[in-house]
């Protein structure tokens, strides 16, 4: 066996004629190092470089164990060199931070002790909505509307960036955070001067959005975390994870003519969801990888949360360098990336034999035109099979807006619009359709919201923008829009049809999620598709069609038009890219976004503490920001909610439009809000009163304790009253009764939103008992001091037949809390019968144990600062 050292040394390498030093982690494992997946090589380097020696001495042995077994329970610290947030995760985080600074001041401390230790980039993309569409001034009107609705929140962001150096805000209109990350922020390899040496190391980040892995397509390791976990990293609380299982996806062949990266991403999502990769890291390998561009890889990596993984990593290779050239990075950057990756063993070798925990293979030659839906992103089907996805079958009639009508057709989100080739394909299809005289029906709400502000320049120069606009796909904004639920009002003709018996309107979007009610509260059905297919379905006006073999419409000369008649060829896409691409667009477009008067002229407060407005319905100081957690629960608990499988964070804490007749809407209207424009829940996450009233009010979040009651209700015991969750929680709190929430499989899947955990905690829930819990939501629960517990395999809420009168006795003391520990549960029924189960704590690391014992992340940080403030101040 090749000699292996115990501690790595800084070893020189040459890049562009410069001598730079790297940490030689290969020396820790000898020849075995080359068998590790690339993601583990990056994690190993990060830990050995950033953590104290006493915390990493076990790692060489732990990684050898991983190589032997494909898995390990050993813990590894991870310190990102930067963090990314967007406005609706940054907003609540900044509210928490502002309140934490208040606590410090009120306890005699210096608020400025709370400063970010890691640089933070904040994108303002999740508040962009589609109020105006199909008109030349749609973008400007939507931007003005966005500022009018959200100026209060944006002032908070400007205050934070001025008060806490290290926080940088990318204003509205700058694009989607993951595209900004690809085009502007990612370096792949970072070069810094440390200890008198020029040193290089891999760029690695955390983002408060589950789609942070988009940047994995470039070769940068990053994954999504909850806002609470990111807050901890900001202020020096290490991210500690178990050395992850790594699933290898071997790609072979090449995408055939007409197949898109979206089609491949949907197949990857289907295959990995079927395999089950929750919380695992995924790495792509094999000869097929080299055939994919960074844009195509980014689309596949983007959907990591949809297939349940933490990452979807593509190693560094020639495509990474080509992308850096494409976006105008200097030759010195490209030289550094290539030299470092090759010297550090991070350069991709398609023939390498790597050790994975599990593996699957996908043949790119077999990928076909696909969509996913109509209710989940993992439900991939051939594009021509949409009508067969409905039960009962779609009905055909003479209605102006038929059953199965496409009422929203949106080219949106970071998933596909970060790839210029897919935008070009949509533009070419639009040009051909326009030439034949095709147009979407009047009831279809159309929109184009690219991830990059460079898109308009590129499409205009390529001669495609006018064609898109002619079909209604003019640019409405540079943000998440429809994909996040900010789709705006449906067309009037569709609104008139809502409630019609048997009417099932549908959205088709180039996004990443289609959960019922996510895109629009009145839409239960949606299909994910490539940008070109979105336009095709808009032209057809319905999903009651085999779009691959039936006419989309009739040309001006009366002949039927098939999809194949207008589908772009690879040569046409390449020609559009060649004629439209201009490297100078990047600096120009981002500079324009940063200097728009709406942002520059927005006034913001100053000072170390944020001035709360008691009358605000957007920003309120939250009650969970306190220096100590809640005292241990005493006595048996009751169930507040019992839920089925696939309860998403959208179901728990909605992001979309606030209805005036909802509990949250009534709260806002009573305080002067305009019933016609209450904004979206995502924009109100700085106000705990609004978010608490919106929790679990999605009509699909059926509480099995009261299945016939509207969403957001429960049965209070012992009164038997059916009341709102907030009313029941208040009664139980007065009586000192702790609460539990019981759920089925994949509880908390979907977005990374921390309010899905904050709402649960504020409702008084002390433990979530579920068949399985998605990774980010699990960490958010722990961050709020809520204990996540897993049911034994094969046991579901339905099998337990839980009633509101049942009492839950959890046999666990704080001293007994440990990673993956067994937790006895006794469910005491009203007849005296006792159901006994052995649960497993969904705790992965010792740090998570510490956070739970502290009552959550915020009490943990505040108690540390108040105990030793002189040691806490960070340098951004």
């Amino acid at each position: 066996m090749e000699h292996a050292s115990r501690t790595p040394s800084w070893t020189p390498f040459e890049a562009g004629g410069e001598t730079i030093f790297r940490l030689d982690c290969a020396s820790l494992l000898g020849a075995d190092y080359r068998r590790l997946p690339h993601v583990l090589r990056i994690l190993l380097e990060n830990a050995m470089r950033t953590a104290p020696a006493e915390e990493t001495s076990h790692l060489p042995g732990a990684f050898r164990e991983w190589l032997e077994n494909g898995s390990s329970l050993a813990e590894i610290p991870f310190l990102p060199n930067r963090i990314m947030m967007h406005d609706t995760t940054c907003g609540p985080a900044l509210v928490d931070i502002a309140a934490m600074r208040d606590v410090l001041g009120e306890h005699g401390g210096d608020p400025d002790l709370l400063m970010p230790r890691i640089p933070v980039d904040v994108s303002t993309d999740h508040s962009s909505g589609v109020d105006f569409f199909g008109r030349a001034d749609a973008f400007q009107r939507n931007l003005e509307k966005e500022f009018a609705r959200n100026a209060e929140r944006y002032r908070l962001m400007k205050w934070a960036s001025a008060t806490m150096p290290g926080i940088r805000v990318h204003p509205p209109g700058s694009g989607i955070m993951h595209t900004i990350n690809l085009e502007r922020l990612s370096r792949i390899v970072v070069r810094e001067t440390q200890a008198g040496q020029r040193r290089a190391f891999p760029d690695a980040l955390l983002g408060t959005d589950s789609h942070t892995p988009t940047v994995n397509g470039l070769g940068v390791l990053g994954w999504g975390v909850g806002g609470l976990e990111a807050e901890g990293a900001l202020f020096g609380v290490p991210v500690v994870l178990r050395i992850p299982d790594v699933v290898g996806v071997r790609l072979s062949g090449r995408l055939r003519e007409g197949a898109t990266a979206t089609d491949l991403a949907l197949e990857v999502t289907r295959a990995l969801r079927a395999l089950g990769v929750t919380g695992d890291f995924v790495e792509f390998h094999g000869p097929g990888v080299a055939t994919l561009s960074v844009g195509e890889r980014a689309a596949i990596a983007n959907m990591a949360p949809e297939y349940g993984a933490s990452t979807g990593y593509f190693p560094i290779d020639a495509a990474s360098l080509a992308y850096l050239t494409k976006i105008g990075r200097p030759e010195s950057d490209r030289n550094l990336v290539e030299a470092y990756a090759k010297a550090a063993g991070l350069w991709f070798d398609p023939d390498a034999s790597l050790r994975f925990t599990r593996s699957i293979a996908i043949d790119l030659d077999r990928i076909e035109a696909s969509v996913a839906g109509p209710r989940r992103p993992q439900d991939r089907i051939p594009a021509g099979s949409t009508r067969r996805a409905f039960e009962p079958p779609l009905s055909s009639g003479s209605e102006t807006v038929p059953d199965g009508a496409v009422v929203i057709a949106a080219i949106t989100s970071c998933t596909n619009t970060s790839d210029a080739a897919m935008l070009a394909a949509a533009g070419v299809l639009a040009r051909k359709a326009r030439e034949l005289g095709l147009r979407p029906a009047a009831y279809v709400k159309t929109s184009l919201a690219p991830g990059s502000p460079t898109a308009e320049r590129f499409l205009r120069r390529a001669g495609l923008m006018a064609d898109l606009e002619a079909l209604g796909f003019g640019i409405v904004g540079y943000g998440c829009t429809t994909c996040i639920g900010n789709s705006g009002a449906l067309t009037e003709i569709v609104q008139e049809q809502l409630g019609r018996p048997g009417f099932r309107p549908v959205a088709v979007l180039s996004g990443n999620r289609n959960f019922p009610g996510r895109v629009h509260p009145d839409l239960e059905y949606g299909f994910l598709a490539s940008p070109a297919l979105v336009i095709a379905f808009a032209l057809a006006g319905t999903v009651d069609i085999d779009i691959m073999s039936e006419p989309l419409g009739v040309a001006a000369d009366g002949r039927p038009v098939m999809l194949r008649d207008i589908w772009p060829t690879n040569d046409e896409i390449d020609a559009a890219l060649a004629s439209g691409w201009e490297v100078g667009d990047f600096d120009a477009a981002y500079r324009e976004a940063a200097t728009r008067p709406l942002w520059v002229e927005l006034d913001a407060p100053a000072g170390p503490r944020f001035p709360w407005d008691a009358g605000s319905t957007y920003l309120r100081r939250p009650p969970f920001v306190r220096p100590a957690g809640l005292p241990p629960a005493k006595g048996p608990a009751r169930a507040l909610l019992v839920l089925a499988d696939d309860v998403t964070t959208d179901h728990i804490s909605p992001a979309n439009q606030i209805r005036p007749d909802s509990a949250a809407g009534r709260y806002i209207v009573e305080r002067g809000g305009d019933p016609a424009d209450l904004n979206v829940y995502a924009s109100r996450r700085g106000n705990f009163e609004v978010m608490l009233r919106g929790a679990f009010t999605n009509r699909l979040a059926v509480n099995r304790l009261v299945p016939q009651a509207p969403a957001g209700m429960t049965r209070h015991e012992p009164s038997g009253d059916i009341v709102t969750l907030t009313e029941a929680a208040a009664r139980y709190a007065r009586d000192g009764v702790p609460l539990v929430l019981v759920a089925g499989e994949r509880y908390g899947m979907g977005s990374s939103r921390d309010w899905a955990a904050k709402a649960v905690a504020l409702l008084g829930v002390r433990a979530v008992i579920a068949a399985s819990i998605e990774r980010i939501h699990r960490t958010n629960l722990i961050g709020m001091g809520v204990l996540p517990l897993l049911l034994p395999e094969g046991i579901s809420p339905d099998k337990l037949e839980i009633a509101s009168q049942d009492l839950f006795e959890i046999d666990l003391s704080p001293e007994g809390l440990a990673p993956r520990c067994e937790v006895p549960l006794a469910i005491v029924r009203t007849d005296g019968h006792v159901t006994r189960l052995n649960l497993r704590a969904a705790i992965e690391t010792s740090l998570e144990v510490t956070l739970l014992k502290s009552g959550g992340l915020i009490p943990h940080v505040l108690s540390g600062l108040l105990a030793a403030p002189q040691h806490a101040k960070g340098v951004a």
Side-chain angles (χ1 to χ4, degrees), residues 189-248:
V189 174
V190 179
R191 175 171 38 193
E192 292 182 354
T193 299
Q194 301 173 356
Q197 288 181 336
R198 291 290 279 168
R199 293 178 173 179
F201 53 86
D203 188 7
L205 73 145
L206 296 175
T208 58
D209 186 274
S210 56
H211 295 105
T212 299
T214 304
V215 78
N216 291 178
L218 181 58
V220 174
L221 182 60
W223 65 90
V225 296
L228 291 163
E229 195 170 4
E231 286 178 39
L234 279 180
F235 301 121
V237 178
V239 175
V240 180
L241 60 154
R242 181 174 63 83
I243 298 177
D245 291 356
V246 182
V247 175

Side-chain angles (χ1 to χ4, degrees), residues 58-59 61-63 65-66 69-76 240-245 819-820 840 843-846:
H58 69 290
L59 288 179
F63 275 87
E65 175 196 20
W66 193 97
N69 301 318
S71 188
S72 173
L73 297 179
E75 298 177 5
I76 184 170
V240 180
L241 60 154
R242 181 174 63 83
I243 298 177
D245 291 356
R820 298 169 295 281
R840 181 171 66 83
I843 303 170
E844 290 295 323
T845 68
S846 56

Side-chain angles (χ1 to χ4, degrees), residues 614-672:
S616 173
T617 58
Y618 278 94
L619 304 173
R620 292 282 308 280
R621 180 171 166 176
F624 51 76
V625 176
R626 51 182 179 263
L630 297 174
K634 295 182 179 179
R638 291 192 183 273
L640 182 69
L641 286 141
V642 177
L643 303 164
D645 295 343
D646 295 318
V647 172
T648 73
T649 51
D650 283 282
H651 298 144
I652 302 168
S653 183
N656 55 22
Q657 194 67 41
I658 300 173
R659 297 180 184 273
D661 58 351
S662 66
R666 290 192 295 272
Y667 168 86
I668 298 169
V669 171
E670 288 167 3
R671 286 154 182 80

Side-chain angles (χ1 to χ4, degrees), residues 330-621:
E331 184 180 4
S332 59
D333 285 3
R334 303 195 299 272
N335 290 339
L336 173 65
V337 169
E338 182 174 7
Y340 176 85
K342 289 180 176 177
L346 296 179
W347 189 261
F348 177 62
D349 176 1
D351 299 319
S353 179
L354 305 180
R355 173 70 156 104
F356 292 108
T357 309
R358 292 176 293 165
S359 297
I360 65 168
I362 293 177
D363 183 355
L364 303 185
D365 294 311
R366 299 175 64 86
I367 299 301
E368 62 181 339
S370 301
V371 298
R375 299 163 67 94
R376 301 190 307 179
Q378 63 262 43
D379 295 332
R380 185 201 70 81
I381 58 175
S385 299
T386 50
R387 64 157 56 107
R388 295 199 293 273
F390 290 84
E391 186 58 43
L394 296 169
S395 59
S396 57
S398 58
E399 297 89 350
T400 303
V401 187
D403 186 22
V406 175
V407 299
I408 288 178
I411 301 175
T412 176
S413 104
C414 48
T415 309
N416 300 298
T417 68
S418 297
D419 182 10
M422 282 200 269
L423 285 180
V428 172
L429 185 143
R431 182 180 64 201
K432 293 181 175 182
R434 181 188 183 192
E435 290 171 350
L436 292 171
L438 299 185
R439 279 193 58 82
Y443 56 75
V444 184
K445 182 171 187 176
T446 51
S447 62
L448 167 59
S452 171
T454 65
E456 194 271 344
R457 288 170 165 81
F458 157 66
L459 290 169
R460 189 77 66 189
R461 193 179 295 111
L464 300 175
M465 196 69 246
D467 299 309
L468 288 161
E469 291 169 338
L471 269 58
F473 287 91
I475 291 176
V476 298
Y478 299 102
C480 302
T481 60
T482 300
C483 188
I484 193 61
N486 295 347
S487 52
L490 300 172
T491 59
E492 288 187 14
I493 189 172
V494 171
Q495 292 183 56
E496 293 168 358
Q497 298 297 310
L498 295 177
R500 188 183 85 206
F503 179 48
R504 287 167 287 183
V506 178
V508 180
L509 67 154
S510 66
N512 43 50
R513 292 191 179 130
N514 55 347
F515 304 131
R518 176 181 171 91
V519 170
H520 190 282
D522 289 320
L523 300 185
E524 186 170 340
Y525 304 99
F527 288 98
L528 307 180
S530 66
L533 271 180
V534 168
I535 298 179
F537 275 104
L539 295 171
T542 180
V543 296
D544 189 10
I545 183 177
D546 180 344
I547 203 160
M548 304 302 292
S549 63
E550 296 178 22
L552 300 178
V554 179
D557 61 6
R559 62 186 174 89
V561 178
M562 312 297 288
L563 180 60
R564 60 179 174 268
D565 298 330
I566 59 173
W567 192 258
T569 67
N570 289 348
D571 286 344
E572 290 170 327
I573 296 169
D574 291 342
L577 289 170
S579 63
W581 198 263
E582 174 56 58
V583 170
D585 286 348
F586 290 92
D587 285 341
Y590 282 99
R591 184 169 53 249
E592 179 185 2
T595 56
R596 287 194 177 97
L598 285 170
W599 176 256
V600 173
E601 297 168 8
L602 182 70
D603 64 303
R609 291 173 63 176
F610 183 74
W612 304 100
D613 177 0
S616 173
T617 58
Y618 278 94
L619 304 173
R620 292 282 308 280
R621 180 171 166 176

Side-chain angles (χ1 to χ4, degrees), residues 769-848:
I769 303 168
S772 65
I773 305 174
E774 294 287 291
R775 176 186 62 87
I776 296 179
H777 185 60
R778 182 194 68 82
T779 60
N780 277 336
L781 289 171
I782 291 171
M784 287 303 297
V786 178
L787 177 63
L789 297 169
L790 298 178
L791 290 165
E793 188 172 350
I795 301 297
S796 67
D798 285 346
K799 288 186 178 179
L800 291 174
E801 296 182 334
I802 296 166
S804 58
Q805 300 93 334
D806 294 341
L807 298 175
F808 290 72
E809 297 178 352
I810 298 173
D811 184 8
L812 178 66
S813 66
E815 296 73 26
L817 198 60
R820 298 169 295 281
C821 66
E822 190 174 275
V823 180
L825 168 67
I827 305 175
V828 182
R829 315 290 186 168
T830 53
D831 62 2
H833 175 73
V834 179
T835 301
R836 298 187 184 278
L837 299 168
N838 285 323
L839 309 178
R840 181 171 66 83
I843 303 170
E844 290 295 323
T845 68
S846 56
L847 174 61
E848 292 178 348

Side-chain angles (χ1 to χ4, degrees), residues 149-168:
R149 287 173 174 153
N150 299 289
E152 194 174 341
R153 295 169 50 234
Y154 294 169
R155 290 188 183 100
L156 170 68
M157 292 162 61
K158 291 191 80 170
W159 165 81
S161 64
T163 303
M164 292 176 278
I167 296 177
R168 176 172 55 177

